[in-house]
Amino acid sequence: MGSIFDNLESIREANGGIEKVGVKRIFTNIPVRKPHRQEFVRTHPDPDYRIDCKVLHLKNDNEVYFLHPDVFSYADTDVQHVCLWSAVTRAGAPFLWMLKLPDESGRENSWHQTAKRAAVEAQTQWLKVVANMSAGNYELHIATGDLGEPQWPDADEYPFNKWLEIAFKERMIDQPDHPVLQKLRGEI
Amino acid sequence: MRLPEQYDCFKEIWAIDFEFNDVDGNRPHVVCLVARELRTGRLVRLFEDNVGPLPPYSCGPESLVVAYFATAELDCHLSLGWPLPLNVLDLYVEFRALRNGLPNGPGGRGLLGALIHFGLDHIRADAKDHWRELIIAGGSFDAQQRQGILDYCQTDVDALASLLPKMADSIDLPQALYRGQYMAATSRMQHAGVPIDVEAFKRLQTYWSDIRLDLINRIDTAGVFEGESFRQTRFVDYLMKEDIPWPRLPSGILDLKTETFRAMAKLYPQIAPLHELRHTLSQMRQIKLAVGHDGRNRCLISPFGASTSRNTPQASRFIFGPSAWLRSLIKPRPNAGIAYLDWSQQEIAIAAALSGDENMIEAYDSGDFYLSFAKQAGAVPSWGTKASHKRERDLYKTCALGVQYGLQEQSLALRLELPVVYARQLLQAHKRTYAQFWRWQDQVADAAFLKLKIKSVFGWPLTISSQANPRSVRNFPMQANGAEMLRLATIALQQAGITVCAPVHDAVLIEAPLDQFDETVAQAKLVMEKASLAITNGKVKVRVDADVVKWPERYVDERGWRMWSVVDELTGQLSGNNPAGQ
């Protein structure tokens, strides 16, 4: 009789006995927000993963609505011109980082400037942004340890328009008689 | 009889069953044998006085022997000096495999349970009891009793003949025969047994009830016991005095479960003697260790008893039961030595190999997994050593062990004696450092809960029922493949001519004459390393540590040494002899 080691391949299970199954992580919510003050984040380095757009930020409800160009004129005074950057937390949770853009006169305050700088820096390194009230701007706190690369949602499954679709799936204003606009106009 | 094509390679298929008695620590005494060749129906019925020097059936490569819980039959082969069959199909093991993870049906895991499961006729349990009692009582049997015993024995053989065709389609024959080889290896271990210091054992048996109070007085210097009762209020006082934080149950009372005590004794060595004492007093009213006339401990090793397929020997009868001090009864025979060989950090090595996590493999291969983990996580500089960064190493060790047990941050914090935030950070460090391992564990759980089945590398299955514990499922590959490693190594060690006395979780106890001892231990280590490479598919060689004891020394488990010293001294005083250890 031969050695027990001679014929083990005939009884070995494929893949170590663990059947291969496909499981996808589904993102059902992508919040539109700033990074929390304790949160280290990264932004997507691909310019196709950000967009300049106009939004309505209802601060009382903490809700951000995406405005279709057709309705800009109906919400004139409340509209904000922003850039939405794709960002991700250490835990791999995606969000859209909303950064205000200069107004029509081109002016930009130091909060907006430092926030934008943070988003640019976060393309290549983990950082958090902390408000410095006395200086009137954000401080950038860069992680010194090797925290590894961010886990982005799969690009094929989640191209940037999919991010927008998920983030604004119930918050897209594309009609002048949208309830949010009606409310702002005091009609309801 | 219609069987699948894969059985055509066997010229003969024999269903066999023995009746035997006198097994309390001894090799079985054969009473009778019934065997039937399943294709021709040829029947053999032999009472003990008609049993010859060789089996009445072929045990060679062209023959298949079918049994239910085959170690019993194979133990009888060895008792009779017969060779063991090369091909053993154990329908107990295969029924266990088929139902593993599912609740037991009526009749449990026994032959009766299998027959009921497949809707086959069966002998009533009370009728079985009658014949078993008669056989165990032993003595001489009259002609009518002999006829009755043989008829009873034949009912099990006939049951096997009915059962095999029902089960055959669901059996992966090559894997089943491999498992059958381990049943044979188990019989060889049960046949060998563990050498015991008989004099010390007899003293212990004789005086155990007399020394219990003295033992408490000597070990319990903290005054936790009142008489033979463990007093929780006194224990609380002791813990406060020693400044030891103790886990509590959700109700707020101290968690005094055995496993909690054991874990705390590892963290606080001063607890260990108290743990040994408390456990011993509660579990050992009498010394039930099974020691045969030849001075060797033997008990049913119960292969495949756990859902992970690990052995489940009966703790109170097995020398490697949970009372570590009792192991000092192990003593090699004159001019012989024993070696306790265990794989170092087996579960981590298996996890690293199966997950393919290169960081984890690198840390294991470094020889000090915990220090390497701390370095990889950035907590210790590359030049750090076990001595220079002891605290960091201890923290990362507790974390790594906690991950194996599936500890969450709250429980880990308790073990670390640190706020939860530290435990959380450590767990996050583990997840970052060994991201591939965590992804693989997720895949294991996903595959298990989607396919409702998961297997070891050589096919031991676990069916996922609605009651399946996700934490156990995630840990199954480590445990089940640890069991596979032990089975493969045991078979290979015996093929190399090495006497294996017993398996001990992820270790084996071997025995060899002193003049060949060192070479045998070295050879055994190589065999065990080779087995580890086979299980990990060549990815990781799991290191093997050897703890050797040469006659006239005795085995020592440091956790139980103090307790053993006191027991040995007390029993020695009562017997008027010098203690066995002196």
Side-chain angles (χ1 to χ4, degrees), chain A residues 27-170:
Chain A
F27 295 100
T28 56
N29 181 36
I30 296 181
V32 183
R33 63 176 177 87
K34 291 187 292 189
H36 305 308
R37 54 179 287 132
Q38 296 93 357
E39 186 174 56
F40 283 91
V41 300
R42 291 287 289 272
T43 51
H44 206 295
D46 185 344
D48 287 345
Y49 273 76
R50 71 189 78 128
I51 186 173
D52 288 356
C53 60
K54 289 186 176 178
V55 298
L56 255 178
H57 189 184
L58 303 184
K59 294 201 172 172
N60 285 346
D61 300 326
N62 197 25
E63 287 179 341
V64 177
Y65 286 80
F66 191 93
L67 282 178
H68 193 278
D70 291 350
V71 298
F72 284 174
S73 58
Y74 295 93
D76 201 31
T77 57
D78 300 291
V79 169
Q80 291 181 3
H81 192 195
V82 298
C83 183
L84 298 172
W85 286 65
S86 305
V88 71
T89 68
R90 293 266 289 133
F95 68 98
L96 287 171
W97 187 351
M98 189 170 72
L99 291 152
K100 281 190 184 165
L101 292 171
D103 63 19
E104 285 170 0
S105 66
R107 281 177 306 184
E108 196 174 27
N109 70 27
S110 56
W111 293 103
H112 302 155
Q113 285 171 347
T114 49
K116 183 180 172 188
R117 190 179 152 219
V120 171
E121 292 293 330
Q123 292 177 99
T124 54
Q125 50 196 337
W126 289 99
L127 58 80
K128 63 181 181 180
V129 288
V130 178
N132 183 332
M133 300 307 287
S134 56
N137 61 20
Y138 288 110
E139 290 175 353
L140 277 60
H141 291 220
I142 309 282
T144 55
D146 178 9
L147 302 186
E149 287 304 302
Q151 296 167 38
W152 293 103
D154 180 73
D156 292 334
E157 292 283 332
Y158 294 93
F160 185 60
N161 60 359
K162 186 76 176 175
W163 284 59
L164 291 174
E165 188 184 316
I166 294 169
F168 294 105
K169 61 180 179 290
E170 291 171 357

Side-chain angles (χ1 to χ4, degrees), chain B residues 30-32 46-52 141 146:
Chain B
V30 172
V31 172
C32 75
L46 297 174
F47 221 75
E48 56 183 301
D49 39 9
N50 294 320
V51 167
F141 303 105
R146 288 162 70 107

Side-chain angles (χ1 to χ4, degrees), chain B residues 500-530:
Chain B
V500 185
C501 302
V504 193
H505 192 67
D506 58 355
V508 291
L509 188 79
I510 67 164
E511 183 178 33
L514 280 182
D515 59 355
Q516 303 161 21
F517 188 69
D518 294 341
E519 307 90 272
T520 305
V521 172
Q523 187 189 8
K525 287 173 79 168
L526 288 176
V527 169
M528 290 174 72
E529 286 172 357
K530 191 172 177 184

Side-chain angles (χ1 to χ4, degrees), chain A residues 10-26:
Chain A
S10 67
I11 59 168
R12 190 182 295 281
E13 290 284 330
N15 202 36
I18 316 295
E19 281 204 53
K20 285 189 173 166
V21 293
V23 176
K24 287 192 297 193
R25 184 177 178 184
I26 300 291

